[in-house]
Amino acid sequence: MHATQSQQYAAKIASRRATSEPVWVRYGLITLTVAFLTLFLLVPLAAVFTEALRKGWSVYIAAIFEADALSAMWLTLIAAAIAVPLNLVFGVAAAWAIAKFDFKGKHFLITLIDLPFAVSPVIAGLIYVLMFGLQGWFGEWLIDHDIKVIFAVPGIVLATIFVTFPFVARELIPLMQAQGKEEEEAALVLGASGLKMLWHVTLPNVKWGLIYGVILTNARAMGEFGAVSVVSGHIRGLTNTMPLHVEILYNEYNYAAAFAVASLLTLLALVTLVLKTYVEWQAARSAVRNEEGVIAS
Amino acid sequence: MGFNQGNILRNKPHVLPGFRLSLGFTLFYLCLIVLIPLSAVFLRTTELTLSEFWAVVTTPRLLASYRLTFGASLIAALINLVFGFLTAWVLVRYQFVGKKILDALVDLPFALPTAVAGISLTAIYASNGWIGQWLEPHGIKVAFTPLGVVVALTFIGLPFVVRTVQPVLEDFSAEAEEAAASLGANRWQTFYKVILPAVWPALLTGFSLAFARAIGEYGSVIFIAGNMPMVSEITPLMIITKLEQYDYAGATAIAVVMLVISFILLLTINLLQWWSAHRHGSQP
């Protein structure tokens, strides 16, 4: 319904000379836009796959199933598998507190949640080095207890959590604010427990925003480079994530292998975009359905 | 979970449960992951005296990196301001084949890992690359020059202006344009005096988001920049260089300069959003 509405709208505008551009302007603008997007989006996308397959499929397959590449994939999966659920729980909790209750300093809290977006990834890595590195605040204590954070997996996970920190909360806060609190109050009055209310009323209402937030968090978690690069130490087979593995191969002039691993990350990005488009479509549909339901009742 | 209805109904202001728990967890997690580690940067710089700090953050090599980082970020954000608006306009107003796919692809720079973008752009603009081989004979070098930095930062910031302007253009009422036209405005006047003022706050927000993102960007830039001291080194790379020399104080001092600038930008963006929400609220 949303699509047809906007199409009708566009058709209406196009049909009226007074509120539309001349045909040559329209086609000129479309051409310019398509050229810009081709240059900056399609060409880089095509280049990844072309470079990856330049030396043939056998080189491509070998680069992907090489032991260091596989352990890099494994580490990337682990980092995302820890960062995504933690930030999901945080996002729901933060959105619940911010959207459903009034308290002083709410806007300040939202700004603080946004902070990781404003911080350079390199600084995101640096702060954990300052905390847990050899010269860091907890450096000596960690050495005494034989715990490694920097140049080890925990540092990579921490940096990943930091850079993906705001995504879920960012998606959920405006959604939950728009939903209001009547439905939750109704559930409570009808005798639901707090957890039941959360599971059966709140989360289903923000389902698509939640999924969207998780998709974004996951994409960023698996693709993060700068922050992870600072804390990883680039130990092959141990503390290399996929983006770092791409860098190492590239710096060794092993371009075909670098682009082969990069092509996997590109596929991940494309899947993310497809899921995102699907989720937006579903969200628009359920919004329309809700509106129709309101009108019908 | 025991649950006392009477009690809940009596506490009028907080009818819903879980306020303390959710806010408590939010603050705890925020402090643990973000605030305490970030404060480490500021506390560690106090190990330097003010004159030492000033000397560290104003070396010629670092000054050159500020010029490149802020200059290239500004140019890239301006390119995105123009082409982002154009893209949003064309995607909202016109119909053409492949529009849906291009619309979905606009978010590619958000989804594509920055390192992948970096090596891909480098391959394209290198002297034997798809585009580089056509530019090189004309004396235009992109890869391994400051121009390459601008290209990478334009890619990174591409979605911001499009995605902030698009919803405003979609909501823009046809009546306002019709009114302008019926009052005798030509198309250009309608655009300049009616449409542009309405999308201006969104344009500014998108521009500052793209600018802020570009300043901190690292992954996509280091591959294409060539990283020559005084010429094509960006400021985030200087932090890495200091860290590799185990100069923690130096790295921290540069980080403080970047953080302060980022915070000022974040504040500006929030003010812009507040301002635009205010304006939209007052004129329905």
Side-chain angles (χ1 to χ4, degrees), chain B residues 125-143:
Chain B
Y125 290 98
S127 53
N128 59 349
W130 286 349
I131 298 174
Q133 61 179 324
W134 299 104
L135 295 176
E136 196 99 330
H138 301 285
I140 305 168
K141 277 192 149 202
V142 179

Side-chain angles (χ1 to χ4, degrees), chain A residues 9 16 21 26 33 39-40 42 44 50 87 90 94 96 101 111 115 118 120-121 127-128 135 161 250 276, chain B residues 14 17 19 22 26 29 33 41 44 86 90 94 105 107 120 122 130-131 155 172 178 187 216 219 262-263 270:
Chain A
Y9 175 67
R16 288 185 195 172
E21 294 76 43
R26 246 184 287 162
T33 304
L39 186 66
F40 275 96
L42 294 178
T50 315
N87 283 338
F90 162 74
W96 179 257
F101 301 95
T111 308
L115 264 187
S120 171
I127 57 179
Y128 293 110
Q135 305 176 29
I161 292 175
Y250 189 85
K276 177 193 165 283
Chain B
H14 291 310
F19 175 62
S22 59
T26 301
Y29 192 72
I33 300 290
V41 177
R44 284 297 284 260
L86 178 69
V90 167
Y94 305 145
L105 269 182
D107 283 324
S120 179
T122 311
W130 286 349
I131 298 174
F155 174 84
F172 192 75
E178 284 163 8
R187 194 61 192 140
S262 301
F263 291 165
N270 279 354

Side-chain angles (χ1 to χ4, degrees), chain B residues 163-202:
Chain B
R163 291 306 188 220
T164 47
V165 170
Q166 220 173 359
V168 180
L169 276 180
E170 274 166 4
D171 289 343
F172 192 75
S173 73
E175 283 82 6
E177 279 174 69
E178 284 163 8
S182 68
L183 289 172
N186 65 29
R187 194 61 192 140
W188 174 247
Q189 285 171 323
T190 309
F191 172 76
Y192 192 72
K193 298 211 162 143
V194 178
I195 300 172
L196 203 56
V199 296
W200 188 241

Side-chain angles (χ1 to χ4, degrees), chain B residues 46-243:
Chain B
T46 54
E47 289 167 15
L48 295 171
T49 65
L50 202 61
S51 60
E52 278 172 335
F53 176 84
W54 191 249
V56 168
V57 298
T58 55
T59 59
R61 195 172 157 194
L62 208 52
L63 289 177
S65 86
Y66 298 143
R67 271 195 293 276
L68 176 65
T69 300
F70 290 101
S73 300
L74 189 67
I75 295 170
L78 284 173
I79 293 173
N80 278 320
L81 183 72
V82 174
F83 282 93
F85 178 66
L86 178 69
T87 305
W89 177 271
V90 167
L91 288 178
V92 171
R93 295 287 174 117
Y94 305 145
Q95 299 297 323
F96 56 95
V97 183
K99 177 173 126 164
K100 286 236 163 90
I101 295 175
L102 279 185
D103 195 355
L105 269 182
V106 164
D107 283 324
L108 182 73
F110 284 160
L112 193 70
T114 51
V116 177
I119 62 170
S120 179
L121 290 171
T122 311
I124 295 166
Y125 290 98
S127 53
N128 59 349
W130 286 349
I131 298 174
Q133 61 179 324
W134 299 104
L135 295 176
E136 196 99 330
H138 301 285
I140 305 168
K141 277 192 149 202
V142 179
F144 316 123
T145 67
L147 196 57
V149 179
V150 174
V151 169
L153 294 179
T154 306
F155 174 84
I156 287 303
L158 193 147
F160 288 102
V161 175
V162 182
R163 291 306 188 220
T164 47
V165 170
Q166 220 173 359
V168 180
L169 276 180
E170 274 166 4
D171 289 343
F172 192 75
S173 73
E175 283 82 6
E177 279 174 69
E178 284 163 8
S182 68
L183 289 172
N186 65 29
R187 194 61 192 140
W188 174 247
Q189 285 171 323
T190 309
F191 172 76
Y192 192 72
K193 298 211 162 143
V194 178
I195 300 172
L196 203 56
V199 296
W200 188 241
L203 267 176
L204 268 182
T205 307
F207 170 81
S208 6
L209 284 172
F211 184 57
R213 171 73 208 267
I215 288 173
E217 178 55 22
Y218 173 73
S220 60
V221 176
I222 50 154
F223 294 99
I224 202 169
N227 307 325
M228 276 173 293
M230 303 299 294
V231 179
S232 57
E233 272 184 331
I234 53 167
T235 311
L237 179 70
M238 299 302 298
I239 297 179
I240 301 252
T241 312
K242 293 272 182 200
L243 271 179

Side-chain angles (χ1 to χ4, degrees), chain A residues 2 15 20 40 55 60 81 92 124 143 150 153-154 166 191 195 225 240 244 249 266 273 283-284 286 291 293:
Chain A
H2 184 75
S15 68
S20 178
F40 275 96
K55 290 189 176 158
Y60 182 83
V92 172
I143 289 172
I150 300 305
V153 177
L195 275 180
F225 177 75
N240 249 355
L244 296 180
L249 291 172
T266 309
L273 291 186
S286 69
E291 264 174 43

